Amino acid sequence: SNSRDKHHTHVTMFDRGHPRGAFRVGATYDLPFGTGRQFASHVNKLVDAIIGGWGTSQLFFWRSGDLMKFGAAQVNGDPTQNVPDGYYFNPSVFSVLPAYTLRTNPHYYQGIRGPNWWELDSSFFKTFNITERVKFEVRMELYNMPNVFMPSDPVTSVTSGNLGRSVNVAGGNYGREAQFMGRIMF
């Protein structure tokens, strides 16, 4: 048997590094007040213009952290043990690989993943009945409504003084953004 045949009998799995879990949920809710709704359905037009026609929509995203991939390094210990506060792994076990030395450390370590990421987007809207067929809607949409900071993946370069820490904002995580809109429906 030659060495080529040995590779056909072994299965090798390599983690691609994508988040292992993701969850998305959305909901729209019309508040039950005003004409045609459960409460205060027979109020006059002025009161209905104030309390009726309100609704909200929420969209929630969550995903687990990315798998951290490492370059060539000299590793003396387990980076998942004795992790200091504020770090995602123990940076003291890593050092620069000496010149002309082959890499022996793995590309990734089980259990070392970046931070989880989540976001809540919300919208609030009010519909005014102009005529029986014509409606006017005013809408306020808030992206990252709670204005939460999401850290980026930690630094994995052994030459960085920030090895093991997250020092940036995660891509796509901005401060709260608001937009306002009005539309006529007929």
Side-chain angles (χ1 to χ4, degrees):
S1 161
N2 64 33
S3 64
R4 181 176 173 199
D5 293 335
K6 291 179 187 177
H7 295 290
H8 292 292
T9 61
H10 291 74
V11 175
T12 301
M13 300 296 287
F14 187 77
D15 195 327
R16 294 183 355 190
H18 299 302
R20 292 192 179 219
F23 178 74
R24 295 174 189 218
V25 65
T28 300
Y29 180 69
D30 288 329
L31 297 177
F33 305 105
T35 302
R37 300 199 179 175
Q38 185 176 0
F39 302 109
S41 62
H42 300 294
V43 295
N44 65 45
K45 287 187 175 198
L46 177 63
V47 174
D48 186 52
I50 295 169
I51 68 166
W54 286 95
T56 183
S57 181
Q58 311 297 319
L59 191 55
F60 178 77
F61 303 96
W62 176 88
R63 72 168 172 79
S64 61
D66 296 323
L67 181 69
M68 298 292 86
K69 294 180 183 169
F70 294 85
Q74 190 166 0
V75 182
N76 297 312
D78 183 352
T80 64
Q81 301 297 313
N82 303 316
V83 178
D85 285 340
Y87 288 79
Y88 286 83
F89 54 87
N90 185 349
S92 67
V93 302
F94 293 95
S95 59
V96 175
L97 191 64
Y100 308 108
T101 305
L102 291 175
R103 173 193 187 126
T104 58
N105 66 303
H107 291 277
Y108 65 90
Y109 295 87
Q110 287 297 332
I112 299 181
R113 290 193 167 265
N116 295 337
W117 184 88
W118 68 274
E119 183 172 321
L120 175 64
D121 299 334
S122 302
S123 51
F124 305 93
F125 50 89
K126 166 87 168 111
T127 304
F128 298 93
N129 295 322
I130 307 300
T131 67
E132 194 171 306
R133 290 187 50 221
V134 178
K135 298 178 190 307
F136 178 67
E137 181 184 77
V138 177
R139 176 179 288 265
M140 176 177 68
E141 296 175 341
L142 299 166
Y143 302 98
N144 189 9
M145 195 268 294
N147 200 25
V148 176
F149 170 80
M150 292 290 135
S152 67
D153 286 339
V155 176
T156 58
S157 171
V158 294
T159 59
S160 173
N162 290 314
L163 178 63
R165 295 187 331 175
S166 174
V167 294
N168 290 312
V169 176
N173 178 239
Y174 309 106
R176 181 184 306 119
E177 295 179 10
Q179 84 181 20
F180 299 92
M181 177 180 73
R183 69 179 178 165
I184 297 174
M185 299 173 284
F186 54 93

